Structures are given as C-alpha cells and as structure tokens.
Amino acid sequence: MSTPPTTAPQPPESTGPAGVPAARTGTTADRTPPAAPEATAVSAVAAPAVAAVDPAGHAVRTAGELAETAAREAATQLARPAPVPLDDVVPAPEHVTPDASADHLLTADTVIRVSADPAALAVAEQLAALLRPATGYPLPVTDTTEPAPAGGIALDLTGDADLGAEGYRLDVTRAGVRLTAGTAAGLHHGVQTLRQLLPADIESATPVDRHWVLPGGSILDRPRYPHRGAMLDVARHFFGVPDVLRMIDHLARYKLNRLHLHLTDDQGWRIAVDSWPDLSTVGGATEVGGGPGGYYTQADYRRIVTYAAARHITVIPEIDLPGHTNAALAAYPELSPDRTAPPPYTGTEVGFSYVDPAHDRTYDFVADVLGELAALTPGQLLHIGGDEAFKVPADVYAGFVERVQRIVAGLGKTVVGWHQIAPAGHIDGRILQWWGTNGDDPQTADAVRRGARVILSPGNHAYLDMKYAPDTPLGHDWAGLIDVRRAYEWDPGTHLTGVPAEAVLGVEAPLWTESVTSLDEIEFMLLPRLPAIAELGWSPRRTHDWDAFRRRLAGHGPRWTRAGVTFHSAPDIPWPPHATIPPARKGPLLTPGV
Ligand code: TNX
C-alpha cells in the first residue's frame, strides 16, 4: 500500500488544570480537591508547610500558610476540568445513575483490593497496569483480607446471578470505587468502563500531572448478546502475533468477546498442522501481491489464544472449505480434483478452487486439520467457512458440508459456517454467519426454522473492509460504502426476515485483508467503526441513538491518539477541536502481556 492512512486532526481536552502553576508543579496537596474527605486527609498529611506545634504537640500550620493552601486549592478547584460524564461510555451501559456529589479522586495512595480468586486477581493486575503509566501512582493490588485503606478501588467477585455471565456493577462514591460481578469476565468489562470514565490522558504511556477523578454514581451493565466479535483475515495478508495481540486489545476495550481468525484461503495457509506439514511451509509462503506470507506455529497460535483468554475473548479458528483452498492444493495436490498442484495464487479473485469432495483422502485431511485445531482451541466453536465454492454442484456441496459438520461434532465442538451452508442438513447447535446485503434470505430463514442460530455480519453494515467513502485509500465497495453511521444504523434483532430475535447469537465485524497490509491499516479500517458494531452487540436497543453515539464516540479520538492508535477521522463524528498532543507511540503493546 503506498498511501498511508491518515490519523485524526488531533484531540482533545486540556491535559490538566492549565493556567494554575501550583497544580502543574503539583504536590499531592495541590491536586487534592476539597470535596473528598479522604483525599483531604491525605493532603493534610502530605502538606509540607508545617511550621509549629499545638499544646498537645501536634503540628499546626501558620495562618499565612493555611491561607496560601486554601487559595491554591480554590484555584485548582476552579480550573479542574469536570470529570467524564458517567454515561459517556461506549458501548452504552444498560443503566446509569449519576451522582455529581460523589466524584472520586484517585491519589498516590489508592490501593486496588480484590477477592482472592486468581481470575479476579488477574483483572485487578490488568487494571493496575492500565492506570499506572499515566497516573504514575503505585496502585498496589492487595487481597481483601488486608485492612481496607481509605478509598481505593475494590473488585468484588460476588457470584451475583443477576449480573449474568458478563455483567458488572460499578459504584463510585467519594469514599471509594466498587466493581462487582459474578464472573471475572464481568469484572474485566467493568474495568473497561472504569478506564473510559477517566480522562483521555489515562492512555498516556508516561505520567501526566493532573487530577484523576472518576464521576460519582452507579452503572449496572449487561450485554444484549453473548456473541460480540470481530474477524481478521490473516490469509490474504499475513499479520504476525504482535499485530493480532494488539487487535485483541482493541476488541477488549469495547467489550467484544470473540476473535474469529480466517486462517486459510487461496493466497495462504497460516497455521502449522503437524500431520500435514507442507500446508504451512509450502501453502503459507505466499500472499496477495506476492509478499512472503507466513504462518503461525502452534506455539504462536497458543499465545494468541492465551492472550485473548486473559482478556475474556475466545478465539474462533476458521478453516475455509471446500473452496478458498488453493494454498492447500498447492501443498497437497492429492486433494485437488485433478490431482495436480495449482500455481501459488497472489491475486484477489474468489470461487475458483476446491478440495475434491468425492475423494476419501479429503476427509482424512479435514479430520486431521480440524482435530489439531480443536486440540489447540479451548473455545467451543470451529468455523468451516463454506463460502463461494462456486465450482461444486449444490448437492455435492451439501453432502460435503454435512460430512464436515459431523467431523466437527465428533470433536466435541460446535460448527459455524458462512450462511452458504444453510441448505445442508441441520446438526445440533450449528451456527450460520450471515454476510448478505439483503435481509430477505429464505434459505437462512429456513435453516433457522430447522434449528440453526445466526451471527450477523451484514456485508453492507459490518464489513470493515468496505471503504468509508469513495476516496478511502483502502478497501472494497462491492457491498457499498460504510461510513460510521451506516455501521451503526441497523438492528441485529430485526435485520433478517423470518429470523426471530431468539435465533440471533450476536454480531461480528469481519476485516478482509486483500488491500490491508499493515497494523496501521488494520486500525484505520477498524476505528472508529468497530465501536459501532460493539455497541449493537452490547447495548440495549432502547439506548440506540445516532446523535448520542457519535458524541460519545468523539471522545475516543483523543484516547486513541494518546495510545498511538491509528484511526480514520471520519467526518460524521464531531471530534474535539485540534489541540497539542504528545507524540503517538507505535509498536509495543499497550496493555500487559501474558
Ligand atoms: C467475500 S464474505 C468473501 C471473502 C472476501 C470478501 C471481500 C465471505 C464469506 N467471502 O472471500 O475477502 O468478500 O469483501
């Protein structure tokens, strides 16, 4: 790609109480708001201006010093920017009850307390790692058996059934912050909310001298759908493990919980399979445009799975069958209908290749590959592709899919396929990923009547490889142009005619990479549309409101900029006015590794 994507005209709010020298040179006392009693206590202890003792021997300050402190605090108070509003969160939470009198100030003494459960402890450590760089505070993590310090952030794994598998409750008071959930996943999602409730400066990799105030009140939050995903096509262009981990960070930020990896296609086979070793070494050596390609070793793939799991994201591997298989055929010509190796393919056409459905060896191959992948994948879902096998007759295709579905079931996994698998016979639990552009799809509706459930990836709303506008330097337009509003303006619950809301498992945003060649370009296509899809998957429908969404989303420009994340400065979002920003960082991951 010769045209690098642009990033937004930059951001954001003021980086601190500008114009108040006392606060900029800041001691703890300087940054303490009179509103919070605990913090005031900290300020009294930390204040250096002790000049005398009272009759009991306690230190006192002179009248002049007291006046100076009061004046400084008043100036700081006046200049301090208001905290982020409690409802300024993407995706929109289910219930928000602000309490302006209950804002909470984090200080250098803030402690993170957590119940002793290891998964909860891991979330607490992640929270600390997210907040330490910008605040410069030590933020020690301690288990609840220790005496509670004043204030602090408590993460509480209560086993509360009301909050479901992924819900959480956040209570912010002057005295402290409490995050409650029934599961570690719920705590993790709550941490993402907490992060967004701090100023954009929280994304800085180096300390920023400012107030770190959380808005007072309560949030009760649960997802609308259990499946909220994104897909990365690592076959058309290969992306190394660090790029995938960074994409996982972006998913986690918006409470997505599934990463679908499109691991194989005509242009490349990207996962090592011990029983068919040439798949990766031969089939992985190409990509669109003739670049070197690449593949994940099984250790690489495990690392991705583990990193995702630590962020409560499940990886869904896809082996695309029977079409999109040129790379496999180049490695193993015995799978080809004419038993001849095709040349490696580096173009962008689809629909020309297929493994031989009439050959038993093909099913050995499928069983071996899916067997190894099932063993590497703790998640329940295996994706078998199934799209665009144009050269396979319909009845042969249906027979092939039915046989592969049985192989997946035999491995104890649940099968997912692109919605082209709809005409094949039903098997327990099967899931269709719908990528059409017209919600009247009788074949999918019929498969749903026979028991299938669906994941919605409408090509004209959720395909993140579509251009934003005619002049977008990357992407396709076969499904139309997708600006942020188009990504946001649809309802997964009613999108497909004849498919009841109960059959919808959730949403997924695919990023095909025929034209996407780098991490910058991935981020440019993902942001800011991924949060739109995330909100459709998470937030109750009654919160759906384009104007409110675009205003909430606008505040994420400064966050991405601080974090060194590339994004498209889409004109339909009212980004904050330009301001001076620190240089963006690129490269190392922003959140702690595993
Ligand atoms: C269709 S969506 C495809 C992919 C292409 C994509 C480009 C689907 C299941 N198949 O092979 O990469 O369009 O937008």
Side-chain angles (χ1 to χ4, degrees):
M1 215 31 243
S2 54
T3 321
T6 55
T7 47
Q10 304 312 343
E13 71 218 88
S14 114
T15 56
V20 185
R24 279 209 302 269
T25 53
T27 62
T28 306
D30 294 329
R31 286 179 269 123
T32 301
E38 305 73 21
T40 305
V42 170
S43 128
V45 171
V50 175
V53 290
D54 68 13
H58 297 129
V60 294
R61 285 183 269 173
T62 65
E65 285 161 344
L66 283 172
E68 198 183 294
T69 304
R72 210 164 46 208
E73 288 193 348
T76 303
Q77 185 69 2
L78 279 175
R80 178 146 53 88
V84 174
L86 190 68
D87 61 357
D88 198 354
V89 175
V90 178
E94 186 179 321
H95 291 290
V96 180
T97 316
D99 178 354
S101 69
D103 294 350
H104 180 83
L105 180 81
L106 303 182
T107 72
D109 296 323
T110 297
V111 171
I112 299 176
R113 289 180 291 124
V114 62
S115 32
D117 178 281
L121 204 59
V123 178
E125 293 289 359
Q126 284 176 347
L127 172 63
L130 288 171
L131 303 187
R132 279 175 192 144
T135 61
Y137 299 157
L139 299 169
V141 174
T142 169
D143 75 39
T144 41
T145 55
E146 308 221 345
I153 305 175
L155 270 57
D156 193 356
L157 205 52
T158 60
D160 185 337
D162 275 1
L163 295 170
E166 294 188 278
Y168 66 92
R169 186 185 164 93
L170 177 66
D171 295 294
V172 178
T173 65
R174 283 191 191 183
V177 176
R178 175 168 294 275
L179 196 53
T180 315
T183 61
L187 289 179
H188 170 82
H189 296 319
V191 161
Q192 306 314 313
T193 293
L194 208 150
R195 195 179 173 191
Q196 290 186 27
L197 292 175
L198 287 163
D201 285 334
I202 199 64
E203 302 291 337
S204 170
T206 51
V208 180
D209 186 14
R210 62 165 301 154
H211 286 89
W212 299 105
V213 181
L214 285 160
S218 298
I219 291 179
L220 174 68
D221 203 8
R222 284 168 297 205
R224 179 179 182 191
Y225 292 111
H227 184 108
R228 306 177 307 280
M231 187 206 81
L232 181 64
D233 169 10
V234 295
R236 268 53 178 272
H237 281 100
F238 180 64
F239 299 94
V241 173
D243 293 352
V244 178
L245 302 192
R246 185 158 158 130
M247 178 155 166
I248 289 170
D249 285 346
H250 300 331
L251 267 57
R253 203 185 264 273
Y254 296 104
K255 303 186 174 80
L256 295 172
N257 64 356
R258 304 277 187 269
L259 174 68
H260 168 182
L261 288 176
H262 182 75
L263 289 169
T264 67
D265 214 301
D266 292 316
Q267 298 86 348
W269 184 284
R270 307 300 182 202
I271 178 78
V273 177
D274 290 343
S275 50
W276 296 70
D278 293 353
L279 287 170
S280 53
T281 54
V282 175
T286 48
E287 63 184 0
V288 167
Y295 63 89
Y296 305 122
T297 63
Q298 295 201 350
D300 289 338
Y301 180 82
R302 278 203 193 89
R303 190 165 158 229
I304 293 171
V305 166
T306 307
Y307 188 90
R311 285 144 191 83
H312 301 275
I313 292 172
T314 306
V315 172
I316 302 170
E318 177 188 350
I319 301 296
D320 203 346
L321 298 163
H324 291 272
T325 39
N326 195 80
L329 302 178
Y332 290 100
E334 65 197 273
L335 302 172
S336 168
D338 62 4
R339 311 288 184 263
T340 310
Y345 186 67
T346 58
T348 59
E349 295 301 314
V350 297
F352 57 90
S353 62
Y354 60 100
V355 290
D356 186 356
H359 188 28
D360 273 345
R361 191 73 182 127
T362 294
Y363 300 93
D364 295 340
F365 156 78
V366 171
D368 290 344
V369 168
L370 293 181
E372 289 194 33
L373 213 49
L376 289 169
T377 304
Q380 183 56 32
L381 306 184
L382 284 191
H383 201 306
I384 60 164
D387 58 318
E388 299 172 322
F390 298 143
K391 296 206 167 161
V392 183
D395 55 333
V396 177
Y397 171 86
F400 174 86
V401 169
E402 285 161 12
R403 206 160 154 183
V404 175
Q405 289 183 160
R406 285 195 296 275
I407 291 173
V408 173
L411 294 166
K413 300 288 187 184
T414 300
V415 71
V416 193
W418 298 107
H419 73 266
Q420 278 69 31
I421 71 166
H426 183 69
I427 193 162
D428 244 12
R430 83 175 181 144
I431 298 166
L432 309 187
Q433 181 167 7
W434 189 82
W435 59 283
T437 54
N438 171 0
D440 278 319
D441 178 346
Q443 286 193 330
T444 296
D446 179 58
V448 167
R449 268 190 296 280
R450 289 183 282 127
R453 289 168 303 162
V454 291
I455 295 165
L456 288 173
S457 302
N460 52 347
H461 293 283
Y463 262 37
L464 300 187
D465 61 319
M466 293 301 128
K467 292 173 180 286
Y468 292 90
D471 62 352
T472 304
L474 309 171
H476 302 133
D477 60 6
W478 66 259
L481 300 170
I482 303 184
D483 58 15
V484 186
R485 183 167 196 167
R486 190 159 187 82
Y488 182 70
E489 292 284 25
W490 58 287
D491 181 0
T494 56
H495 195 74
L496 283 183
T497 309
V499 172
E502 312 81 72
V504 176
L505 279 176
V507 296
E508 195 177 298
L511 180 58
W512 301 99
T513 60
E514 286 93 337
S515 70
V516 175
T517 63
S518 66
L519 175 62
D520 270 332
E521 294 175 354
I522 290 178
E523 291 180 341
F524 178 82
M525 297 306 264
L526 231 49
L527 301 170
R529 293 181 291 194
L530 185 70
I533 304 298
E535 179 143 322
L536 294 178
W538 180 280
S539 306
R541 188 65 193 171
R542 64 171 165 70
T543 65
H544 191 88
D545 177 338
W546 165 244
D547 269 327
F549 174 70
R550 64 205 277 265
R551 272 184 273 112
R552 279 183 284 115
L553 185 60
H556 290 241
R559 288 174 194 276
W560 297 325
T561 302
R562 287 283 188 283
V565 176
T566 300
F567 64 103
H568 170 50
S569 56
D572 45 355
I573 304 303
W575 306 107
H578 184 279
T580 311
I581 51 148
R585 293 165 293 128
K586 206 68 184 174
L589 288 165
L590 308 171
T591 55
V594 280

